[in-house]
């Protein structure tokens, strides 16, 4: 697997991956009917460095890296990761997380924080824990899951 | 004290209050050298409802109310409050918080979350607790305080 900065030509592949996750509405607090334009504008927001993970010639995942806050909070990074549905269970998310930790260190960040890990997303919670993240807080019923109704979300952090 | 939606004509008064807080850099993760334009653009971001608190004819505080997330997280509100330096200790923040809770309920929010309450800001932490907020999480050394160095920040939540 190769992980690199996204180019403009990757937009279609990135959108296919985001589309699947955002339409399902189970892992990100993003409107399920978000348009391609708005989804890409969000993923590529000013201040986001966007990466893609390639397996041979296919893009199987994408993540962004940004400062979680400005001013006195600018030393803490934040990331979002999405894996293509047919590439799940193959270590793509773990590889992207590992890559993002190195990138964040190189950019001088001293910690990383995930603001909204949905508690019903067991796979993600366990994966981030195995990558060194701890649950710093529980947000009760902070997410309205399309199938499960109100579920908690976690704030997860690790030092870099 | 009267609390009402901010008008365009309130920008100068709002900026005077933000300027003091942002220049001090002790309570918000905002660059201390932020310009008037950028500070007002942040306070009046799309999706923010901005209010001012008036004591007789003087604006003594301002707050914004917004959805903390979109999609499945859009039922949780978020607010930021700032009080003019010469109006501190007079119940302005408490009055704005109480007002914001009523406003948020009217707008259909089911909870309110503060994402980044700086732990060294004892007055604020105690005030929010007395307004029904609980510490949901502690973010270790998430804020670089200009005088104290690295300090923790809290995520605080309450149901509405």
């Amino acid at each position: 697997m190769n992980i690199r900065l996204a180019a403009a030509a990757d937009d279609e592949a990135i959108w296919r991956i985001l589309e699947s996750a955002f339409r399902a509405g189970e892992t990100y607090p993003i409107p399920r009917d978000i348009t391609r334009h708005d989804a890409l504008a969000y993923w590529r927001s000013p201040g986001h460095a966007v990466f893609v993970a390639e397996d041979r010639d296919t893009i199987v995942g994408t993540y962004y890296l940004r400062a979680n806050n400005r001013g006195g909070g600018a030393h803490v990074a934040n990331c979002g990761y999405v894996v293509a549905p047919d590439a799940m269970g193959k270590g793509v998310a773990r590889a992207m997380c590992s890559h993002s930790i190195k990138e964040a260190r190189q950019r001088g960040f001293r910690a990383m924080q995930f603001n909204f890990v949905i508690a019903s997303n067991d796979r993600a919670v366990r994966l981030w824990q195995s990558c060194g993240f701890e649950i710093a807080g529980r947000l009760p019923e902070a997410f309205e899951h399309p199938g499960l109704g109100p579920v908690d979300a976690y704030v997860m952090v690790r030092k870099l």
Side-chain angles (χ1 to χ4, degrees), chain A residues 21-45:
Chain A
F22 293 168
R23 293 282 179 266
E26 297 179 348
T27 54
Y28 275 80
I30 295 293
R32 297 177 69 187
D33 61 355
I34 192 169
T35 62
R36 179 186 194 277
H37 176 271
D38 288 352
L40 285 169
Y42 158 65
W43 206 250
R44 289 187 177 281
S45 293

Side-chain angles (χ1 to χ4, degrees), chain A residues 7-160:
Chain A
D10 299 319
D11 271 3
E12 183 59 24
I14 292 172
W15 162 240
R16 289 293 170 205
I17 294 171
L18 297 182
E19 182 182 27
S20 174
F22 293 168
R23 293 282 179 266
E26 297 179 348
T27 54
Y28 275 80
I30 295 293
R32 297 177 69 187
D33 61 355
I34 192 169
T35 62
R36 179 186 194 277
H37 176 271
D38 288 352
L40 285 169
Y42 158 65
W43 206 250
R44 289 187 177 281
S45 293
H48 287 209
V50 175
F51 295 83
V52 290
E54 288 177 312
D55 185 9
R56 287 154 213 166
D57 288 339
T58 304
I59 291 178
V60 291
T62 179
Y63 82 86
Y64 70 76
L65 167 66
R66 65 170 189 133
N68 202 36
N69 280 294
R70 296 186 285 166
H75 59 290
V76 180
N78 168 249
C79 289
Y81 312 84
V82 184
V83 175
D86 53 6
M88 285 191 186
K90 297 179 181 175
V92 179
R94 180 183 298 278
M96 290 196 295
C97 186
S98 172
H99 188 273
S100 68
I101 287 169
K102 281 182 211 143
E103 272 291 325
R105 281 196 189 114
Q106 281 175 12
R107 290 164 187 245
F109 290 107
R110 303 207 301 272
M112 191 178 288
Q113 178 175 327
F114 300 153
N115 300 312
F116 208 79
V117 181
I118 295 159
S120 55
N121 192 359
D122 299 322
R123 171 185 277 179
V125 175
R126 283 197 306 267
L127 176 58
W128 306 146
Q129 286 173 323
S130 80
C131 291
F133 288 81
E134 293 182 0
I135 294 174
R138 187 181 66 84
L139 310 171
E141 302 191 345
F143 186 69
E144 188 71 29
H145 187 287
L148 303 172
V151 296
D152 298 342
Y154 297 130
V155 180
M156 301 186 74
V157 297
R158 68 157 283 171
K159 297 218 167 185
L160 296 180

